[in-house]
Amino acid sequence: MAVTGNGGGTPARDRVHRAAVRLFATKGFHGTGIRDLAKAANLSSASLYHYMPTKERLLADIMAASLQSLLDAALRELDGVDDPAERLDRLVTLHVTRHAREPMRTRVVDNEVDALTPASRRDVVGIRDAYEQLWSDALDDGLRRGVFTTTRPATTRLALLDMCNGVARWFSPGGELGRNDLAEHYADLARRLVGAPPRPPR
Amino acid sequence: MAVTGNGGGTPARDRVHRAAVRLFATKGFHGTGIRDLAKAANLSSASLYHYMPTKERLLADIMAASLQSLLDAALRELDGVDDPAERLDRLVTLHVTRHAREPMRTRVVDNEVDALTPASRRDVVGIRDAYEQLWSDALDDGLRRGVFTTTRPATTRLALLDMCNGVARWFSPGGELGRNDLAEHYADLARRLVGAPPRPPR
DNA sequence: GCCGGCCGATCAATCGATCGATAGGCCCGA
DNA sequence: TCGGGCCTATCGATCGATTGATCGGCCGGC
């Protein structure tokens, strides 16, 4: 393996993906040129194409991988948990923690869906739907068992998800609130939204 | 006044602005070409420049006008209202109603801020900050007077705004919920979020 | 000596923006 | 009432720059 004049020990493929996430998040997919991407990854624009078939496919891969990893983590997190309020807590905590840890990646996933070709979009939206279905199920389950209270559960679910998604738009690691405190606060807010009893103090 | 081969009685300036809102909202600012815009407005790309100095300035004007109109309406709405919960109700109702009535325009305002030049961005963000200050004031007021309950009011305000902003992302006029019912539901949710007593039934 | 990683040069297409020109209505002086 | 100058609205053609993508070839380690 030749390590020539690149940007440190990081493998080139990783550098490309990381640079893409950062640039797509800050300047948008269409606002990022192939040459911007190359410069940020310490490669020529030609070499870029050794690590991606197409700019659009690079975006699609990033989005699909991010969503798939979130979905997997959520399934792991919910495994064996029965109490609806606890299930909601875990979904919110996971979601917010991730959005705070990787706000750039999340912003790409949330904002660049309609830069995808129809084929890629179908894949990405499919994963996203499966993930959001977990939230719907948790909400419905809590309502059925009388733990949650809300008219219009569908709308409440959307409000809840939008609230949690927002974190990626403004969170910065240097802020007054750490990731974990933030996630706990959001779990409290979520319980209020769905009319569940407050979380027991630790 | 010559009405030649344009697209109906609508003045050309309006057609340009409307087309820009629609295209910027669906394809993004950088994803929309001057020629797309011209075709959608029934003009040549040259004629376009009789109604805008620059593509970027067109975006900035649309965003500033939309935000300024929202800020004005909010000031009007709050005028003379003292009860903190009622103030919050009015902010939420206005915000959600607008976002549901003009989701495209709102999506442009929310998503294309970093397509602006630094100068334009300063103007736009200034208006947005003034508007969000109204929410902060309402929240602080309610907390000071013991009507609201929340630790971390700054974070709660962000969560609240993100929740309300989300409406523009998914609302469609044909849905099961009308604009007014939706706004009322969100007012209920907002009260829950800040720990205020439920709104009295009408 | 071959092969994966990498690049400079370059492709056609499209980008945002500008040019000079034309057509038609309006106003004002004769 | 005419006529000429002006203004607004519009266009086709085109500008230089940049876009995403491709090509042939070089280089160094196995």
Side-chain angles (χ1 to χ4, degrees):
Chain A
M1 171 79 70
V3 175
T4 42
N6 61 31
T10 320
R13 174 165 275 102
D14 287 2
R15 295 205 313 275
V16 172
H17 275 251
R18 271 197 260 272
V21 167
R22 181 164 54 85
L23 291 177
F24 292 169
T26 54
K27 313 179 21 169
F29 175 74
H30 290 299
T32 302
I34 244 25
R35 290 159 185 80
D36 303 329
L37 191 51
K39 182 170 294 184
N42 257 319
L43 285 173
S44 74
S45 68
S47 303
L48 225 47
Y49 285 84
H50 279 265
Y51 304 102
M52 64 185 205
T54 272
K55 196 180 95 164
E56 189 268 342
R57 279 284 303 275
L58 173 64
L59 172 66
D61 287 349
I62 288 174
M63 294 180 66
S66 180
L67 276 170
Q68 187 65 54
S69 136
L70 180 62
L71 174 58
D72 292 346
L75 289 171
R76 237 178 293 124
E77 198 71 30
L78 291 180
D79 187 57
V81 181
D82 181 64
D83 176 45
E86 170 75 15
R87 287 172 77 86
L88 183 65
D89 286 348
R90 297 210 175 196
L91 280 177
V92 171
T93 304
L94 171 70
H95 193 97
V96 169
T97 304
R98 289 238 169 179
H99 278 56
R101 182 168 50 212
E102 298 209 273
M104 300 261 203
R105 202 173 296 269
T106 305
R107 246 142 67 194
V108 173
V109 173
D110 286 348
N111 298 331
E112 303 295 339
V113 178
D114 43 36
L116 295 170
T117 61
S120 302
R121 177 150 56 244
R122 260 191 300 279
D123 295 345
V124 167
V125 171
I127 309 177
R128 196 188 60 183
D129 287 348
Y131 175 68
E132 296 189 350
Q133 188 61 46
L134 297 180
W135 290 67
S136 289
D137 292 347
L139 212 51
D140 290 345
D141 187 41
L143 287 169
R144 206 179 313 111
R145 291 157 74 171
V147 189
F148 299 161
T149 315
T150 181
T151 55
R152 320 196 184 284
T155 307
T156 302
R157 192 208 86 218
L158 287 166
L160 184 57
L161 263 168
D162 285 334
M163 178 182 87
C164 294
N165 280 330
V167 169
R169 294 178 167 265
W170 50 262
F171 183 83
S172 88
E176 55 171 328
L177 220 52
R179 280 203 298 270
N180 294 335
D181 290 341
L182 184 72
E184 295 207 4
H185 182 55
Y186 266 74
D188 291 338
L189 292 177
R191 286 212 179 203
R192 284 185 170 184
L193 259 195
V194 301
R199 293 191 309 149
R202 306 170 42 121
Chain B
M1 172 78 69
V3 174
T4 42
N6 62 29
T10 320
R13 172 164 276 102
D14 287 2
R15 296 205 313 275
V16 171
H17 275 252
R18 269 198 260 273
V21 167
R22 181 164 54 84
L23 291 177
F24 291 168
T26 55
K27 313 179 22 169
F29 175 75
H30 291 298
T32 302
I34 246 17
R35 290 159 185 82
D36 302 328
L37 191 51
K39 182 170 295 184
N42 257 319
L43 285 173
S44 74
S45 68
S47 303
L48 225 47
Y49 284 84
H50 279 265
Y51 302 103
M52 63 186 204
T54 273
K55 194 181 97 164
E56 189 269 343
R57 281 283 304 272
L58 173 65
L59 173 66
D61 289 348
I62 288 174
M63 294 180 67
S66 180
L67 276 170
Q68 188 64 54
S69 136
L70 180 61
L71 174 58
D72 293 345
L75 289 172
R76 236 179 292 124
E77 198 72 30
L78 292 180
D79 186 58
V81 181
D82 181 66
D83 177 44
E86 170 75 13
R87 287 171 77 85
L88 182 65
D89 286 348
R90 296 211 177 194
L91 280 176
V92 171
T93 304
L94 171 70
H95 192 97
V96 169
T97 304
R98 288 240 169 174
H99 279 56
R101 182 168 49 212
E102 299 209 89
M104 300 260 204
R105 202 172 295 268
T106 305
R107 246 144 67 195
V108 173
V109 173
D110 287 347
N111 298 331
E112 303 295 338
V113 178
D114 42 36
L116 295 170
T117 61
S120 303
R121 176 151 57 243
R122 260 191 301 278
D123 294 344
V124 167
V125 171
I127 309 178
R128 195 188 60 184
D129 287 348
Y131 174 69
E132 296 190 349
Q133 189 61 46
L134 297 180
W135 289 67
S136 289
D137 292 346
L139 211 52
D140 291 344
D141 188 44
L143 287 168
R144 206 179 314 111
R145 290 157 76 171
V147 188
F148 299 162
T149 314
T150 181
T151 56
R152 320 196 184 283
T155 307
T156 303
R157 191 208 86 215
L158 287 166
L160 183 57
L161 263 168
D162 286 335
M163 179 183 86
C164 294
N165 280 331
V167 168
R169 294 176 166 267
W170 51 261
F171 183 82
S172 88
E176 55 171 325
L177 219 52
R179 280 202 300 268
N180 293 335
D181 290 341
L182 184 72
E184 294 208 2
H185 182 55
Y186 266 74
D188 291 337
L189 292 177
R191 289 209 176 205
R192 283 184 170 186
L193 260 195
V194 301
R199 294 190 309 148
R202 306 171 40 118

